[in-house]
């Protein structure tokens, strides 16, 4: 049996989860998220109503084993997202590279001839503690990661000077440049 799939999902205080057939919806202080569970996988309450959820599978077919752990992780992510939320931190490295908040979005100066205006997608908020740091926050883990990846893709870190947009703990492998003479 899947080690991840058989762990129960505990529901923290302040979060309500509703089960409607194959649909799992969670509502909490950070918003509301829902998940449509694939057909052979079942989600049900574990004894106490409203405290823990159990994810089960009908048999040991390969596809059902794969969906078992995935479904449990997705449910745990929506419960954690509506209760605490997720965040990713990006750092901007380079002379003259900076970010400025602009309404709900961002204005990025990344060495191009023009600034990049990036509007905030629904459910995402930005914080800029300083001119070279962006914190992407939201309830949906996948959407937070995708938004951070889109911002990073504007100017990925290059290997010679390390300039560009990178994740906070990302290690950029540096290359030696050309050497003068022989």
């Amino acid at each position: 049996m899947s080690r991840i799939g058989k762990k129960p999902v505990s529901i923290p205080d302040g979060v309500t989860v509703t089960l409607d057939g194959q649909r799992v919806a969670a509502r909490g202080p950070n918003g509301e998220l829902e998940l449509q569970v694939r057909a052979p996988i079942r989600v049900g309450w574990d004894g106490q109503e409203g405290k823990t959820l159990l994810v089960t599978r009908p048999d040991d077919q390969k596809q059902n084993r794969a969906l078992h752990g995935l479904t449990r992780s997705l449910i745990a992510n929506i419960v954690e997202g509506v209760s605490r939320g997720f965040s990713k931190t990006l750092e901007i490295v380079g002379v003259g590279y900076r970010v400025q908040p602009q309404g709900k979005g961002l204005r990025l100066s990344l060495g191009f001839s023009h600034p990049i205006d990036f509007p905030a997608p629904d459910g995402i908020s930005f914080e800029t503690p300083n001119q070279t740091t962006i914190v992407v926050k939201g309830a949906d883990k996948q959407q937070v990661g995708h938004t951070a990846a889109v911002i990073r893709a504007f100017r990925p870190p290059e290997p010679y000077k390390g300039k560009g947009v990178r994740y906070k703990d990302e290690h950029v492998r540096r290359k030696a440049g050309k050497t003068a003479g022989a």
Side-chain angles (χ1 to χ4, degrees):
M1 189 125 197
S2 169
R3 290 183 188 176
I4 294 173
K6 67 183 178 183
K7 287 175 62 177
V9 179
S10 61
I11 311 300
D13 294 334
V15 175
T16 58
V17 175
T18 57
L19 300 176
D20 182 25
Q22 293 295 96
R23 189 178 73 83
V24 178
R27 178 189 299 254
N30 286 344
E32 185 175 344
L33 294 173
E34 67 177 48
L35 173 72
Q36 189 67 33
V37 178
R38 296 270 301 268
I41 305 299
R42 296 280 173 224
V43 179
W45 295 106
D46 180 26
Q48 313 165 17
E49 182 71 26
K51 293 295 179 191
T52 57
L53 289 173
L54 276 182
V55 179
T56 58
R57 66 177 189 239
D59 53 31
D60 281 344
Q61 289 182 4
K62 187 172 185 173
Q63 182 177 7
N64 293 343
R65 288 195 319 258
L67 286 174
H68 189 207
L70 171 71
T71 303
R72 190 262 175 210
S73 293
L74 292 175
I75 292 171
N77 284 342
I78 67 169
V79 168
E80 184 179 347
V82 297
S83 65
R84 291 189 303 191
F86 294 99
S87 68
K88 279 219 180 255
T89 305
L90 298 166
E91 294 176 341
I92 299 175
V93 178
V95 176
Y97 290 12
R98 65 181 170 269
V99 63
Q100 299 166 333
Q102 186 179 44
K104 290 188 176 184
L106 299 172
R107 174 166 275 208
L108 300 156
S109 298
L110 299 175
F112 298 116
S113 61
H114 60 283
I116 299 169
D117 292 331
F118 187 75
D122 291 338
I124 297 292
S125 63
F126 298 116
E127 287 182 8
T128 53
N130 56 44
Q131 289 187 341
T132 60
T133 307
I134 304 168
V135 180
V136 182
K137 292 186 171 187
D140 189 355
K141 186 175 186 177
Q142 189 259 337
Q143 190 178 19
V144 168
H146 177 72
T147 303
V150 168
I151 293 171
R152 182 184 180 274
F154 288 135
R155 180 72 84 171
E158 54 96 15
Y160 295 102
K161 291 185 179 179
K163 296 180 354 178
V165 180
R166 63 176 79 168
Y167 297 113
K168 183 178 181 205
D169 296 326
E170 181 179 3
H171 176 71
V172 178
R173 292 194 57 180
R174 303 289 294 273
K175 291 182 181 180
K178 292 181 181 179
T179 56

